[in-house]
Amino acid sequence: MNTPKRIKMIMPVPVPDFAIPGFAAQIPPALIRPDIAIDFCGTRNGASLLESLYEATLAEAWVLDAGARAEAQGYAAVCINSMSDSGLTALRSRLTIPVVGPGRASFYLAADLGKRFSVITMWPRWHWIYEKLALETGLGSRLASI
C-alpha cells in the first residue's frame, strides 16, 4: 500500500492535545479514505476566540507559523479549519501545495447555487468574519444577510 497523502488541518486558535481527537471524529466515516491522512493541530499561541480584528490578526500570524513548513514536512495540502480562513492568503503566497479554507469555499458555492445568499451563524460577534469574507471574495453584493 502506498503512503497516504497527508493534509494538515489547522485550527486558528490554540487547542489542547486532548481535544484533537474530537475534531478528527467530526469527519463522517464515509469520507475517511486509506490513501489520505488528516493531521489536526491548533496554533502554538494566540487568542481563544476570534471575536475581534485584533484576535484575527493574532490568528493570521500563528496559522502562518503552524503552516509555513507544511510543504517541507511532506504535506500535500493545508486546510484552515475555520470560516475565518485565517492565514490562507499568506500561506498561499508561501507554499506551492493547495491551501484551502471553508469560508471562501462556502461563499463561492453559495453564490454559484443562487443569485444571493445568507449566512447563518451561531454568534453575532462573528458577523465581522462574514463581512470580511464578502469583501475578500468580491461577493458583498450577493450577500443578502447574516
Side-chain angles (χ1 to χ4, degrees), residues 7-139:
I7 298 171
K8 187 165 195 168
M9 182 76 71
I10 304 171
M11 278 74 73
V13 295
V15 176
D17 289 341
F18 71 83
I20 297 293
F23 285 99
Q26 293 176 5
I27 299 174
L31 297 180
I32 296 173
R33 296 175 29 178
D35 59 331
I36 297 175
I38 302 173
D39 297 334
F40 288 80
C41 72
T43 56
R44 287 189 302 131
N45 209 334
S48 60
L49 292 172
L50 300 181
E51 59 183 8
S52 70
L53 289 173
Y54 173 78
E55 291 178 347
T57 301
L58 291 175
E60 295 264 340
W62 288 107
V63 167
L64 186 56
D65 172 70
R69 292 170 301 287
E71 193 168 5
Q73 294 167 338
Y75 286 96
V78 171
C79 182
I80 311 305
N81 193 0
S82 169
M83 283 295 288
S84 68
D85 287 349
S86 300
L88 186 139
T89 304
L91 282 175
R92 283 184 175 171
S93 74
R94 163 102 181 187
L95 305 173
T96 62
I97 59 176
V99 179
V100 298
R104 289 176 189 208
S106 297
F107 269 45
Y108 286 127
L109 177 61
D112 197 36
L113 293 174
K115 292 180 182 178
R116 294 182 53 108
F117 63 94
S118 292
V119 173
I120 299 172
T121 183
M122 43 193 250
W123 202 23
R125 294 178 95 168
W126 285 337
H127 283 201
W128 71 268
I129 292 172
Y130 309 110
E131 292 163 356
K132 181 176 177 274
L133 271 170
L135 289 172
E136 290 175 351
T137 58
L139 295 172

